[in-house]
Amino acid sequence: FESFRLIWSGSLGSSVKLPDTLLTWVPLTLAAAGLIVTFAAGLWNIGIEGQIVIGAIAAAWVAREIPGPPALLVPLTLVAGLIGGMIWGLFAGVLKVYGKVNEIFGGLGLDFVATGLATYLIIGPWKRAGVASTSGTDLFRRETWMPEVGDYSWLALLLAGAAVVGMYFLMRGTSFGLRLKAVGNNSRSAFLLGIPTGRYLLSAFAVCGALAGIAGTVQATGFHHKLVPSVSGGYGFLAILVVLLAAFRAAWIAPIALFFMALSVGSTQLSLRLGLDSAIGGVLQGILVLFALLAGAVQVRRLRLKTRAAEAALVEEVP
């Protein structure tokens, strides 16, 4: 109980830590919202980590190279990050649709390329004056930082909320969402029914990549205020766990992502106060996902047994 009290007070229960928790919640929520689309299409978009990194790189280029006031630069960094992530997502889509490369292997390869490109820029062309360090580039100009009210980046929170609401209505109330689910459930049948499966798969990668690119922009211009090698923060992989725990439902993404971030941010108190390793937060996250998957498997098994029993009873009634 003391551990959970410290996690709460070190994340959501503290006016000092709450802004940090919410700011880390934003990229995780954006990435998870994008993964809803690719999962609906039957795709494991492991390349989302690279899409976050490329989005951050594109936003960093705008922040470093283009002068102007905040009213111009902040939207430009967001658009650049969106386009960068979308293009990187489409690379994985092209490999999948036209090259017949499994999206897991193609995505992992693109992740390594994106991370290598970020490291090259940080220790090469964008290195700090007189220093070739992997700690990151020089801080961006303040005109490019995400706008804040107090300690809260209202724009980042607004983007995350809009992404969740948009995904909810996209997957539930549009023909695009319905057709995307048809492609994910049975791409062969969807193709025979006249749905251009290749186009929908590419669209799923593009939408997910765009949201991942915005997540990278938030990381670069709203959190670090510079480009760092680990700019993705592992949020892409963690978002996969969030979506699995949410059972692919957009409505549950925001609270589950907030719970995950509360564990991550608050678990640092465990090492300071109780002498426990802060990695226990990740252990708790993994245990939750495993139990959720186990519960889902039990539910599926029960449904199958009921179906078989009903079929057997029907056969007995037939003369």
Side-chain angles (χ1 to χ4, degrees):
F1 288 106
E2 179 67 10
S3 299
F4 283 111
R5 188 191 69 79
L6 289 173
I7 289 175
W8 169 261
S9 63
S11 56
L12 301 176
S14 167
S15 59
V16 177
K17 290 294 184 179
L18 182 58
D20 294 337
T21 304
L22 291 178
L23 192 56
T24 55
W25 169 79
V26 169
L28 179 60
T29 302
L30 287 167
L35 285 172
I36 287 287
V37 181
T38 49
F39 271 122
L43 300 167
W44 285 82
N45 187 17
I46 305 297
I48 190 171
E49 280 282 310
Q51 293 151 29
I52 293 174
V53 173
I54 294 299
I57 291 175
W61 180 83
V62 171
R64 289 176 55 88
E65 303 297 333
I66 298 181
L72 172 65
L73 292 176
V74 172
L76 278 181
T77 55
L78 288 170
V79 172
L82 183 151
I83 294 174
M86 181 184 295
I87 291 174
W88 213 248
L90 284 173
F91 281 165
V94 169
L95 289 173
K96 168 70 175 179
V97 175
Y98 298 106
K100 305 303 178 184
V101 178
N102 186 282
E103 69 273 13
I104 295 177
F105 300 116
L108 283 174
L110 289 170
D111 286 347
F112 283 115
V113 174
T115 303
L117 178 60
T119 303
Y120 162 73
L121 291 172
I122 290 169
I123 65 175
W126 292 353
K127 68 180 180 181
R128 289 181 292 165
V131 180
S133 171
T134 56
S135 61
T137 63
D138 290 318
L139 289 176
F140 302 146
R141 290 164 291 148
R142 290 197 64 90
E143 293 84 358
T144 64
W145 292 14
M146 284 269 178
E148 296 180 352
V149 176
D151 294 327
Y152 297 90
S153 178
W154 61 267
L155 180 57
L157 295 174
L158 180 63
L159 290 170
V164 172
V165 174
M167 278 309 114
Y168 178 82
F169 287 105
L170 178 69
M171 301 310 299
R172 289 180 62 89
T174 67
S175 59
F176 174 83
L178 181 61
R179 293 185 178 188
L180 197 65
K181 291 177 182 178
V183 172
N185 289 328
N186 193 320
S187 60
R188 177 66 177 170
S189 297
F191 178 78
L192 293 176
L193 290 173
I195 299 176
T197 55
R199 188 188 308 169
Y200 274 84
L201 292 177
L202 290 175
S203 298
F205 274 113
V207 172
C208 185
L211 290 176
I214 296 175
T217 303
V218 172
Q219 280 288 92
T221 64
F223 186 73
H224 296 289
H225 304 304
K226 61 181 179 179
L227 183 65
V228 297
S230 59
V231 68
S232 66
Y235 289 127
F237 295 136
L238 187 57
I240 296 175
L241 300 184
V242 171
V243 176
L244 290 175
L245 200 58
F248 313 108
R249 292 174 292 182
W252 286 96
I253 284 177
I256 292 175
L258 183 60
F259 179 70
F260 270 40
M261 285 299 94
L263 283 178
S264 296
V265 175
S267 60
T268 57
Q269 296 295 315
L270 299 180
S271 59
L272 297 175
R273 303 289 185 87
L274 299 181
L276 299 175
D277 197 307
S278 60
I280 196 171
V283 174
L284 292 174
Q285 293 170 357
I287 289 174
L288 285 171
V289 174
L290 289 175
F291 271 105
L293 294 176
L294 179 60
V298 171
Q299 187 176 6
V300 170
R301 179 173 175 79
R302 286 179 177 177
L303 182 61
R304 287 178 179 175
L305 291 176
K306 287 182 179 180
T307 303
R308 291 175 183 174
E311 291 175 349
L314 184 61
V315 170
E316 290 178 358
E317 292 178 0
V318 176

